[in-house]
Amino acid sequence: MGATYRADMARLRDIEGRTIEEASTGAYGRCFGNAELSRLISRVQSLIIRNGLELEKLVTSFISPLLIADLDDFLDAQIMQSGVRVATKAVVKKAQKMQGRLIEPDFLIFERKGTSQNCYIVELKDGHEFDTKSSAKEQANLNQFLSMNAMALQFFQSYIKVCGFNAQTREEIYTGFKHKIDISQAMTGREFCRILGINYERILTLRAEDREANYSDFLDELMAMPDVRAELTKRLSG
């Protein structure tokens, strides 16, 4: 299954971030005491957030033949053909049969093997390190969504899955979520891609294409700051 989508991993040069005034008076300003540096760090934070959103878009482009256009119609059929079908968060939001506005998962993956029909309720994460409060909230939302939609999903055996896309083991995800999920609910990126029948390594390659440019842009931004440049020059000269 191929895809023509270019990841366009968010580029630092394209992100405006906060104004100098906002950066200087915000948390980064309090940490660093330099308005220009604080604004750059805020742009990096925006870059990280946007990069996570790009992951969802990239995965969706790879699975376009599997996408469900109308989840209500799909569920009305009760029995699906063998294989895999996927509902994105946007499609879940539009479905009349689905409850739980604002807590919808990123993907519902429906799988039929033989006579078994499974539904994986998937929250897709670029990273897998979260604080205890965030981890507990994620788990609560997924449990609530499953509970509220048990009737709509009655013809499927449903499983909650938290996918740490870049994690190599379930144990990493389990630890990163502060043990707030069961380890059986952890799903690696490789496992996620295997269910969908897409190439995990290809996605990693696409996402890495702009990494060198972002690194160079970050250094250029640093060197363009007179105070920072002067301090770096001083330190390098001993």
Side-chain angles (χ1 to χ4, degrees):
M1 189 181 301
T4 57
Y5 178 78
R6 166 63 168 82
D8 284 331
M9 185 173 101
R11 294 286 292 270
L12 182 61
R13 67 182 62 171
D14 298 328
I15 294 177
E16 287 295 325
R18 298 183 177 186
T19 65
I20 286 289
E21 291 76 15
E22 290 171 334
S24 64
T25 57
Y28 297 119
R30 292 191 295 273
C31 286
F32 297 104
N34 180 297
E36 288 183 306
L37 179 60
S38 298
R39 181 170 183 266
L40 176 59
I41 300 302
S42 77
R43 290 171 61 201
V44 170
Q45 179 63 25
S46 296
L47 175 71
I48 293 170
I49 294 171
R50 188 179 298 183
N51 194 38
L53 296 175
E54 287 298 327
L55 172 60
E56 187 176 332
K57 292 180 183 179
L58 181 57
V59 167
T60 301
S61 75
F62 267 69
I63 61 173
S64 55
L66 307 179
L67 296 177
I68 297 169
D70 189 318
L71 184 55
D72 290 322
D73 285 348
F74 176 82
L75 293 174
D76 279 340
Q78 300 182 7
I79 299 175
M80 65 178 285
Q81 294 182 346
S82 294
V84 174
R85 299 295 304 280
V86 183
T88 63
K89 179 181 287 190
V91 169
V92 175
K93 283 179 179 290
K94 291 190 296 184
Q96 295 299 311
K97 292 181 180 295
M98 292 285 104
Q99 300 182 54
R101 295 296 177 258
L102 303 180
I103 59 170
E104 296 91 348
D106 293 318
F107 296 98
L108 291 183
I109 302 176
F110 298 93
E111 175 190 57
R112 182 179 175 92
K113 287 184 176 180
T115 59
S116 298
Q117 295 194 149
N118 301 315
C119 174
Y120 301 101
I121 301 169
V122 181
E123 192 67 23
L124 179 62
K125 300 296 184 183
D126 196 15
H128 56 275
E129 294 287 345
F130 294 87
D131 61 40
T132 301
K133 184 177 180 180
S134 296
S135 300
K137 183 178 180 181
E138 291 282 0
Q139 171 68 340
N141 285 348
L142 290 167
N143 283 334
Q144 184 180 0
F145 180 85
L146 176 56
S147 176
M148 295 178 72
N149 293 288
M151 183 60 68
L153 301 173
Q154 63 181 306
F155 298 105
F156 295 85
Q157 183 66 45
S158 298
Y159 304 92
I160 288 172
K161 296 292 181 180
V162 176
C163 177
F165 194 81
N166 294 287
Q168 297 303 304
T169 67
R170 293 181 182 181
E171 287 74 14
E172 288 179 64
I173 302 166
Y174 177 63
T175 301
F177 273 79
K178 305 300 186 286
H179 302 177
K180 294 299 181 181
I181 60 171
D182 188 87
I183 195 166
S184 66
Q185 296 175 325
M187 173 184 278
T188 66
R190 289 185 187 279
E191 291 173 322
F192 177 68
C193 289
R194 191 178 302 124
I195 291 175
L196 296 175
I198 59 179
N199 191 321
Y200 177 72
E201 297 296 341
R202 176 58 177 157
I203 291 178
L204 292 185
T205 298
L206 285 171
R207 300 193 77 213
E209 287 185 353
D210 286 332
R211 193 173 294 156
E212 184 176 345
N214 280 332
Y215 178 66
S216 179
D217 289 346
F218 181 78
L219 295 180
D220 287 344
E221 293 278 358
L222 281 179
M223 296 304 290
M225 301 174 192
D227 292 345
V228 173
R229 184 186 182 98
E231 183 62 26
L232 290 175
T233 300
K234 177 183 176 183
R235 293 189 179 206
L236 287 172
S237 64

